[in-house]
Amino acid sequence: MNKRRDFIKLGVASVALATLPACAAYSAQTYSSAKAPYRVVVIGGGYAGTAAAKYLRMWSNGGIEVMVIEPRPRFVSCPLSNLVLGGSQRIGDLTFAYDILKAQHGIQWVEDAVSAINPAARKVQLTHGDLHYDKLIIAPGIDFIYDKLPMLQSAEAQQKIPHAWKAGEQTVNLRKQLEAMPDGGVFVISIPPAPYRCPPGPYERVCQVASYLKNNKPAAKIIVLDANPEITSKKALFTKAWAELYSGMIDYRPNSEVVNVDINTRTVYTEFDSVKADVLNVIPPQRAGKPAQMAGVVNFDNRWCEVDFLTYASTVHADIHVIGDSISSGLPKSAHMATSQAKVCANAILAMLNNEAPDPNPVFANTCYSFVNDNMAMHVANVYRYDATKKLMLPADGGGVSDQPSEQEGKDAQYWARNIWSDVLT
Amino acid sequence: MLSLMPKSSLNLCWLIFVSSIGVTAEVFADTSAASINSQSIQVRHIQILAASCAACHGSNGNSVGGTPVLAGLDQARFVARMLEFRAAASSFGGDDAPCQRSDRAGN
């Protein structure tokens, strides 16, 4: 094991340092890595990356150096972000600084983007230098596939037709478009083929938009173009909620993959049909995030990363671990799942760095709440265990979904969010 | 405030518990003591198991609200409570149902 502790290598070291805020902040850290025998670099500051970084530091008693690379200055939660569209939550309520996490756990932080990864040399190249790692964790979330819809790839196109599938500016944009939509207008949402981030998310979004329209533009309609043959998560609950809360408002069309979009007229084309929208939300098909592509660890369906579920090590490169939405697991791509995988991965890395075996039977939980209006939610919850024969995480018996949405579960969902934010950000 | 725990969430807590029935007593006694130093397989298993509860119950069981604080919970009490969960799983309800939870700090 290479135990070098090289710092960011800058082309013109000290001069450049003063002009690069992110690197300057890094070099100014009082935390010393001089005694740390290993460095783990984590790419991505979402649910998976923050959880991995924190638990690596916590479970090693600060014994290893952990460095997170994240280009965005703040964390914006995807969970609860559909409520911004409904109007009961503001994006600022879901936006957090990384400062407490960094300070409480002595996590090194580089606000920069990854430009290349060299697995043979164990190096990550950034815009402003490069970093050596002993272990690399890639947690970049999703990337969108625009092969079939290249017209939606530009920032200008997304200004008009946002995906809003990464919480932030596009979420706010979509909300503003809904506010500006005339009563009697048509909102069209396109759902990509599974697997995609947050299986119930699109259907929750339909509820949130319907909730807003019902109260503000009751003559408006919603058309749901789903590439899948049926609602992919909590089907019975969503079907019932739509019928009971938003009767006559939602036109759900399964097996309706969008094949073309006219940006100017906001018209979407499926194989047999076309629909003109007043507000159009196309959620594109998805794959593993760009850093995973750069590392060459996307080896399933040309979209996702195969991993060993005991360690989350890539099946391509043993020193590169992949967690969160980028992996191929057959499990829901959720925030709780991402943190659960992060903890198994962190624990296994500490074992491996100490030449010990990881837990051979990991067990973890996943919970996922969906809001049907401003204050009522429903959940799906499962426990997953490692199956040594199939080498997969499989659901245990006894999990399940709510009987019905309720205000109590709406409160539970808000408390869930506060606890998971606290878990990954403090 | 006391309120009934959702059925499936209850099952979730129970399932997590039975996954480690022989060793769960250690879970909240010492979840943060792992280090780069040697740890037994059993301790690693428990750490992962307990850490998964954090999404709802906070890091190391320190809930910030809405769910019980598990950190520092008396071991015997914790085990007894989970066993009561199992017994009540098919007929929960009533004032003394073990699947009730009390809100704690933060709300």
Side-chain angles (χ1 to χ4, degrees):
Chain A
M1 182 63 71
N2 191 324
K3 298 190 179 184
R4 281 185 302 150
R5 292 166 297 281
D6 50 345
F7 289 85
I8 297 180
K9 286 175 183 156
L10 297 165
V12 191
S14 57
V15 180
L17 202 58
T19 63
L20 299 171
C23 297
Y26 162 70
S27 69
Q29 291 268 0
T30 52
Y31 161 76
S32 167
S33 64
K35 289 174 193 162
Y38 300 111
R39 175 192 284 168
V40 179
V41 170
V42 181
I43 299 175
Y47 281 96
T50 51
K54 168 175 167 172
Y55 279 77
L56 278 167
R57 290 287 297 167
M58 197 169 80
W59 279 338
S60 70
N61 290 328
I64 63 164
E65 183 182 358
V66 176
M67 195 170 243
V68 175
I69 304 166
E70 167 59 53
R72 282 157 294 206
R74 281 175 290 279
F75 176 101
V76 187
S77 174
C78 274
L80 298 193
S81 68
N82 275 332
L83 299 190
V84 174
L85 304 177
S88 63
Q89 204 96 54
R90 302 198 177 185
I91 201 75
D93 303 335
L94 316 177
T95 304
F96 302 94
Y98 290 112
D99 300 357
I100 296 171
L101 175 70
K102 288 189 258 184
Q104 293 213 137
H105 299 282
I107 296 167
Q108 310 273 4
W109 204 273
V110 182
E111 195 178 305
D112 201 346
V114 174
S115 54
I117 295 167
N118 183 339
R122 291 210 293 263
K123 275 193 174 158
V124 178
Q125 191 178 317
L126 310 174
T127 313
H128 299 127
D130 60 15
L131 285 171
H132 178 268
Y133 61 81
D134 294 297
K135 289 280 187 184
L136 177 64
I137 298 177
I138 301 183
I142 50 158
D143 181 33
F144 295 111
I145 302 174
Y146 289 108
D147 296 355
K148 290 181 183 169
L149 300 170
M151 72 294 289
L152 289 177
Q153 191 150 15
S154 72
E156 296 77 22
Q158 289 174 28
Q159 188 68 29
K160 194 147 182 191
I161 302 171
H163 52 72
W165 215 240
K166 294 182 180 184
E169 284 176 18
Q170 292 205 10
T171 315
V172 175
N173 175 350
L174 189 54
R175 167 67 189 180
K176 284 181 181 161
Q177 290 195 28
L178 289 166
E179 287 172 355
M181 188 173 93
D183 194 5
V186 177
F187 171 74
V188 178
I189 179 171
S190 154
I191 302 170
Y196 55 83
R197 164 179 281 179
C198 189
Y203 311 103
E204 180 192 56
R205 175 166 293 183
V206 169
C207 291
Q208 287 303 308
V209 172
S211 172
Y212 168 71
L213 295 177
K214 181 181 176 182
N215 294 326
N216 295 278
K217 306 168 199 241
K221 291 274 186 279
I222 297 175
I223 298 175
V224 185
L225 300 176
D226 195 340
N228 300 287
E230 59 179 9
I231 293 173
T232 58
S233 175
K234 303 175 187 165
K235 182 186 173 188
L237 286 167
F238 279 117
T239 303
K240 192 156 176 273
W242 291 354
E244 289 180 356
L245 297 171
Y246 311 112
S247 177
M249 188 176 243
I250 300 166
D251 174 359
Y252 176 75
R253 304 181 187 177
N255 297 308
S256 299
E257 185 162 10
V258 169
V259 295
N260 194 9
V261 179
D262 182 334
I263 292 171
N264 289 328
T265 61
R266 288 195 174 89
T267 303
V268 285
Y269 299 85
T270 61
E271 204 165 337
F272 303 108
D273 209 355
S274 69
V275 182
K276 189 178 181 313
D278 292 283
V279 176
L280 177 56
N281 176 209
V282 177
I283 304 168
Q286 294 154 31
R287 63 184 167 198
K290 288 201 168 63
Q293 299 167 34
M294 290 175 197
V297 293
V298 178
N299 60 340
F300 182 81
D301 200 19
N302 211 20
R303 288 171 75 189
W304 311 107
C305 306
E306 283 187 334
V307 296
D308 168 1
F309 294 103
L310 296 182
T311 62
Y312 290 83
S314 160
T315 55
V316 181
H317 296 294
D319 289 328
I320 298 180
H321 300 245
V322 189
I323 52 175
D325 292 347
S326 284
I327 69 167
S328 168
S329 66
L331 308 183
K333 298 183 185 299
S334 77
H336 191 175
M337 188 66 80
T339 63
S340 290
Q341 293 166 352
K343 292 165 188 178
V344 175
C345 175
N347 205 284
I349 283 178
L350 293 176
M352 293 160 87
L353 290 177
N354 208 40
N355 294 315
E356 291 175 10
D359 175 11
N361 298 300
V363 178
F364 57 60
N366 178 51
T367 42
C368 170
Y369 288 93
S370 300
F371 277 86
V372 296
N373 60 14
D374 282 358
N375 58 2
M376 283 165 49
M378 55 210 192
H379 77 273
V380 57
N382 275 299
V383 168
Y384 297 87
R385 300 163 198 277
Y386 184 70
D387 183 310
T389 310
K390 293 179 178 164
K391 298 189 185 322
L392 287 171
M393 295 300 294
L394 296 179
D397 290 338
V401 298
S402 309
D403 295 330
Q404 59 190 22
S406 67
E407 290 186 17
Q408 179 59 50
E409 287 210 37
K411 290 177 188 162
D412 292 341
Q414 291 284 353
Y415 283 126
W416 172 89
R418 277 147 187 75
N419 276 295
I420 198 167
W421 291 337
S422 166
D423 191 35
V424 301
L425 294 167
T426 71
Chain B
M1 185 200 93
L2 289 173
S3 60
L4 198 62
M5 196 162 186
K7 185 175 66 179
S8 297
S9 293
L10 180 158
N11 286 347
L12 188 79
C13 300
W14 164 247
L15 276 164
I16 281 274
F17 172 70
V18 295
S19 296
S20 62
I21 196 153
V23 289
T24 302
E26 296 173 35
V27 170
F28 296 105
D30 187 9
T31 57
S32 62
S35 74
I36 192 69
N37 301 321
S38 186
Q39 294 290 336
S40 72
I41 293 274
Q42 192 178 63
V43 168
R44 292 199 181 285
H45 182 71
I46 296 164
Q47 283 172 339
I48 290 168
L49 201 60
S52 189
C53 303
C56 303
H57 291 276
S59 295
N60 293 319
N62 289 301
S63 173
V64 298
T67 51
V69 172
L70 302 179
L73 207 60
D74 177 72
Q75 290 177 17
R77 170 74 183 136
F78 177 75
V79 171
R81 198 159 163 104
M82 295 311 291
L83 290 168
E84 287 168 10
F85 268 18
R86 178 170 65 178
S90 58
S91 60
F92 58 87
D95 291 340
D96 296 323
C99 44
Q100 288 175 335
R101 61 185 170 186
S102 55
D103 286 353
R104 298 284 292 265
N107 59 94

